[in-house]
Amino acid sequence: MRVFKFGGASVKDAKGVKNLVSVLKTTGHDKTLVVVSAMGKTTNAIEVVIKNYFENKDELQSSIHDVIKFHNEILLDLFANERHQVFADVKAFFDELTMFFKSNKSPDYNYVYDQTIGFGELISTTIISHYLNEVGLKNNWLDVREYIKTDNYYRRANVDWEQTQEQISSNFNKSILNITQGFLGSDANNFTTTLGREGSDYTAAIFAYCLNANSVTIWKDVPGVLNADPRYFENAQLLHQISYREAIELAFYGASVIHPKTLQPLQRKEIPLYVKSFLNPKENGTCVSKGKAIEPEIPCFIVKKNQILISLSSLDFSYIVEENISEIFSLLHLYKMKVDVIQNSAISFSVCIDNIYDNLEKLLQHLKAKFKVTSHENVSLYTIRHYSDASIKEMEKDKTVLLKQLTKETVQIVTK
Ligand code: ADP
Ligand code: ASP
Ligand code: MG
């Protein structure tokens, strides 16, 4: 039993869907679960729809229409017969989405987000499942929400492992080709929940864990895990084999090629993770598994742009101690801030955060009531694993360093 995951980049157009078929033909498709994300940038496009809805913008209809048009073009490229069932199935999802916005009464942004954002995945898997059937790869479309059960912490739901295991053990047919959605789950009341942006890698790992799969392969637009993001660094090198620990560290610090939550369930059952190129399915890519790397450790570079550095000190020059720090952390948790680095001294505390859920204003307001606050927006956080002096120098060149922190294996540098 294998689990494959195809992300948005791999199915951004009809050509991508056809390529997915050729990957499955190259690798074989028996006893395989294929987890698929929304096509291309659909999730971002639905985020625009949700924003328009909450801001009562006239553009609400046209933004929904943009999403419909994008998928219709792909459908027309893939299916010659416009009376094919897929057109009705996709239309039914769009009708449901439009209906939701018409009838919704909830003012809760996170709830509304989770009830609507997942249509990208529901539609992409519907198109792909029909297309696979059309070209002879018979498959079973699953609604992932019947399998992955979570709490109702909308937009970053936590998996209820016991219930998920039970659902998967009793309802999943391992012997066929199954297609399902990444990113989604459902809560105790069967409302849709999501696992956090880019969460489809994690979905693949959840299934692999519960199915005791032999392996997970995530198909990417890069040859595997590289020692740096090729969008920002030249001459990035492929890491052929890395340990779970190294991959967890890289993902944790922001190497966005693997969603950070993916590795833990795999490590617990020692299920290998392959990161491979969907353009070269025969290449080995990267294998993440138990044990040591086969290559010597080279510096690995990770950059997170658009971060925020907040520095706090007490209003009365008193020490920043456990009590204030725990208060600061509960506010960071309340506003769903992702904490990248912290540094504290006697009377000050600095934290570099990722404002994923757009709550900065509220957080700052809250903090300013209790602390003297300075903040820098738009800073970059560079992390080097297995750093050398030369690699640090290179990183700091032409930049203003706002914060720097070294441990034995890792240096983190916040720059402007
Ligand atoms: P998906 O289509 O599955 O959502 P992503 O776009 O999230 O895939 O992940 C692939 C991207 O991750 C690559 O295009 C690359 O720019 C980026 N990336 C960041 N860090 C690394 C790294 N260390 N190695 C390879 N790719 C990386
Ligand atoms: N479609 C979702 C996103 O863009 C989940 C994923 O792609 O992994 O965040
Ligand atoms: Mg992605």
Side-chain angles (χ1 to χ4, degrees):
M1 173 78 217
R2 292 175 312 184
V3 181
F4 282 0
K5 180 259 172 170
F6 288 89
S10 68
V11 290
K12 66 180 194 309
D13 50 23
K15 208 171 126 207
V17 176
K18 289 177 184 168
N19 182 64
L20 180 152
V21 173
S22 84
V23 171
L24 290 182
K25 285 187 173 161
T26 308
T27 57
H29 42 81
D30 275 354
K31 298 187 184 169
T32 304
L33 167 65
V34 178
V35 174
V36 189
S37 308
M39 293 174 146
K41 302 274 178 228
T42 299
T43 306
N44 293 355
I46 302 178
E47 283 189 344
V48 172
V49 173
I50 298 165
K51 200 158 179 283
N52 286 339
Y53 171 75
F54 273 100
E55 291 173 3
N56 273 319
K57 291 256 177 74
D58 293 340
E59 292 87 349
L60 175 63
Q61 281 317 317
S62 67
S63 58
I64 296 178
H65 192 76
D66 288 343
V67 183
I68 297 178
K69 189 163 163 264
F70 169 75
H71 288 91
N72 273 343
E73 279 166 12
I74 295 178
L75 278 173
L76 292 171
D77 273 346
L78 292 174
F79 298 89
N81 177 2
E82 280 186 49
R83 281 198 295 268
H84 193 289
Q85 181 62 32
V86 69
F87 287 90
D89 289 354
V90 169
K91 182 174 179 300
F93 278 128
F94 280 122
D95 289 347
E96 199 184 324
L97 176 66
T98 310
M99 205 49 217
F100 178 88
F101 285 119
K102 282 207 178 109
S103 58
N104 174 60
K105 301 268 185 299
S106 170
D108 178 349
Y109 192 95
N110 294 338
Y111 163 81
V112 169
Y113 183 100
D114 274 8
Q115 303 324 300
T116 51
I117 200 78
F119 279 90
E121 271 71 13
L122 291 165
I123 290 165
S124 72
T125 50
T126 298
I127 296 175
I128 290 164
S129 172
H130 275 294
Y131 187 71
L132 288 170
N133 279 327
E134 194 71 4
V135 298
L137 301 190
K138 296 293 170 227
N139 68 91
N140 182 33
W141 184 91
L142 300 177
D143 187 329
V144 75
R145 296 170 295 183
E146 290 167 18
Y147 294 83
I148 295 188
K149 299 302 292 182
T150 69
D151 63 9
N152 64 357
Y153 194 56
Y154 295 118
R155 295 183 75 185
R156 209 164 74 191
N158 300 295
V159 173
D160 179 331
W161 285 95
E162 210 172 299
Q163 278 206 54
T164 301
Q165 180 69 68
E166 199 179 303
Q167 289 302 106
I168 293 179
S169 300
S170 41
N171 301 317
F172 190 94
N173 179 354
K174 280 189 183 187
S175 59
I176 51 173
L177 172 61
N178 286 291
I179 310 290
T180 201
Q181 307 79 39
F183 184 43
L184 311 179
S186 68
D187 66 14
N189 294 316
N190 291 327
F191 287 116
T192 307
T193 55
T194 60
L195 306 174
R197 284 299 309 262
E198 304 292 329
S200 300
D201 294 349
Y202 183 39
T203 305
I206 297 166
F207 272 102
Y209 180 90
C210 293
L211 291 164
N212 292 316
N214 299 22
S215 66
V216 173
T217 306
I218 52 179
W219 297 96
K220 299 278 171 172
D221 60 355
V222 280
V225 180
L226 308 168
N227 77 324
D229 185 339
R231 281 175 303 180
Y232 306 115
F233 299 87
E234 285 172 14
N235 307 322
Q237 282 171 258
L238 179 65
L239 306 173
H240 295 93
Q241 184 154 15
I242 54 177
S243 64
Y244 291 114
R245 161 132 203 268
E246 186 61 27
I248 287 171
E249 297 277 355
L250 290 174
F252 172 81
Y253 288 118
S256 58
V257 63
I258 308 175
H259 187 276
K261 282 185 166 176
T262 310
L263 291 146
Q264 199 219 8
L266 300 181
Q267 180 192 28
R268 278 170 62 193
K269 289 207 175 163
E270 295 184 6
I271 299 167
L273 171 70
Y274 298 98
V275 183
K276 291 188 175 216
S277 158
F278 57 73
L279 296 172
N280 294 303
K282 287 194 174 138
E283 295 287 317
N284 290 335
T286 300
C287 173
V288 182
S289 62
K290 199 180 158 202
K292 281 223 162 288
I294 53 172
E295 52 248 308
E297 282 169 349
I298 50 170
C300 292
F301 300 87
I302 300 148
V303 57
K304 290 183 83 173
K305 305 233 166 186
N306 249 318
Q307 305 298 291
I308 296 146
L309 181 66
I310 301 178
S311 299
L312 307 167
S313 51
S314 48
L315 293 167
D316 58 0
F317 281 92
S318 59
Y319 291 135
I320 299 271
V321 288
E322 293 78 1
E323 197 185 329
N324 337 42
I325 293 177
S326 85
E327 191 176 2
I328 296 166
F329 266 96
S330 54
L331 290 177
L332 292 168
H333 180 67
L334 178 68
Y335 294 113
K336 297 187 175 174
M337 292 295 177
K338 165 90 183 60
V339 174
D340 297 320
V341 199
I342 54 170
Q343 198 166 67
N344 71 312
S345 70
I347 52 162
S348 76
F349 182 90
S350 296
V351 57
C352 183
I353 54 175
D354 197 348
N355 180 25
I356 304 172
Y357 299 99
D358 209 11
N359 287 332
L360 182 64
E361 283 317 309
K362 283 185 257 170
L363 172 71
L364 288 178
Q365 225 174 31
H366 218 136
L367 286 172
K368 277 177 184 162
K370 315 235 155 131
F371 302 95
K372 189 165 160 277
V373 181
T374 50
S375 63
H376 292 270
E377 294 186 34
N378 247 319
V379 299
S380 298
L381 168 66
Y382 290 90
T383 302
I384 316 175
R385 296 264 308 149
H386 317 298
Y387 58 86
S388 58
D389 288 346
S391 60
I392 297 180
K393 259 205 195 109
E394 176 63 27
M395 202 83 283
E396 290 179 343
K397 207 169 73 192
D398 306 326
K399 299 182 186 90
T400 308
V401 174
L402 300 173
L403 182 152
K404 183 167 168 179
Q405 198 167 76
L406 278 97
T407 61
K408 202 166 134 260
E409 286 176 317
T410 308
V411 58
Q412 294 198 280
I413 307 168
V414 177
T415 68
K416 189 73 189 164

